[in-house]
Amino acid sequence: MSTKDELKDVRRVALALLARRDHSETEMCRKLQKKGFADDAIRHVLDEFIREKWLNNARFIEHYVAHRRGKGFGPLRIRGELLERGLSKELIDPCLKITDNAWLADVSEVFRKRFKNRMPHDLKTRAAQMRFLYSRGFTSEQIESVFT
């Protein structure tokens, strides 16, 4: 079992991390493990933070999606990044709403900013523009909407 001092140290580090930004439970656990804290102390503190609603995966997903969407990234890329952070598809998908028409406005805005609304004159340019939008994480349907 963890000592009182260790729990205090884990709590202090975890609060400092949360003061900077929201974290997912898995992300917080990994960061605390990297600092060398015992797994049982980490679990105890994380359970406490979840009970107090200081650590909330659903809230983290909402904030993360809004932040990355604002940076011009599409739903597929954001979804992949959230999966890498240890979050489940069941939590991610309702918040992401990949088929939502609002993504069509987002992909158009990214296209406008990157290419100044210049439509391609040849297949090579079109392919390059499409690759860029794919790399940003937009779906085929969303990308096609820009070129129709």
Side-chain angles (χ1 to χ4, degrees):
M1 188 63 191
S2 303
T3 67
K4 214 173 193 179
D5 287 340
E6 185 177 20
L7 287 173
K8 192 186 287 187
D9 289 343
V10 173
R11 195 174 288 113
R12 179 182 48 76
V13 171
L15 280 173
L17 290 168
L18 283 176
R20 291 185 192 102
R21 67 169 179 86
D22 264 335
H23 287 73
S24 70
E25 184 179 347
T26 304
E27 196 176 34
M28 180 69 76
C29 185
R30 286 179 189 152
K31 286 185 177 188
L32 293 171
Q33 286 171 335
K34 277 186 178 179
K35 300 257 185 214
F37 294 117
D39 287 342
D40 61 330
I42 293 170
R43 187 74 261 151
H44 180 81
V45 170
L46 292 183
D47 288 344
E48 174 191 338
F49 280 24
I50 290 167
R51 270 193 316 277
E52 295 294 330
K53 297 189 183 351
W54 297 342
L55 192 63
N56 183 311
N57 283 337
R59 183 181 62 222
F60 171 76
I61 292 169
E62 284 179 31
H63 289 165
Y64 192 86
V65 168
H67 173 74
R68 297 299 281 169
R69 192 174 189 167
K71 296 278 186 189
F73 292 99
L76 300 178
R77 172 118 177 228
I78 295 169
R79 185 176 195 237
E81 292 170 354
L82 288 168
L83 289 170
E84 284 176 7
R85 284 170 168 71
L87 296 155
S88 70
K89 292 177 186 178
E90 293 75 27
L91 280 175
I92 297 168
D93 289 345
C95 188
L96 205 51
K97 300 175 191 139
I98 291 176
T99 58
D100 187 0
N101 285 340
W103 289 106
L104 299 177
D106 291 354
V107 72
S108 294
E109 179 65 14
V110 170
F111 181 83
R112 185 192 64 73
K113 281 184 177 179
R114 176 76 166 111
F115 300 108
K116 312 290 187 255
N117 264 349
R118 285 191 296 255
M119 295 308 277
H121 298 297
D122 57 24
L123 287 177
K124 184 178 177 184
T125 306
R126 180 183 170 116
Q129 290 175 341
M130 291 178 86
R131 272 193 311 275
F132 173 77
L133 295 172
Y134 278 119
S135 74
R136 283 302 186 108
F138 292 100
T139 66
S140 299
E141 295 81 18
Q142 292 162 351
I143 293 168
E144 283 298 322
S145 75
V146 171
F147 297 99
T148 55

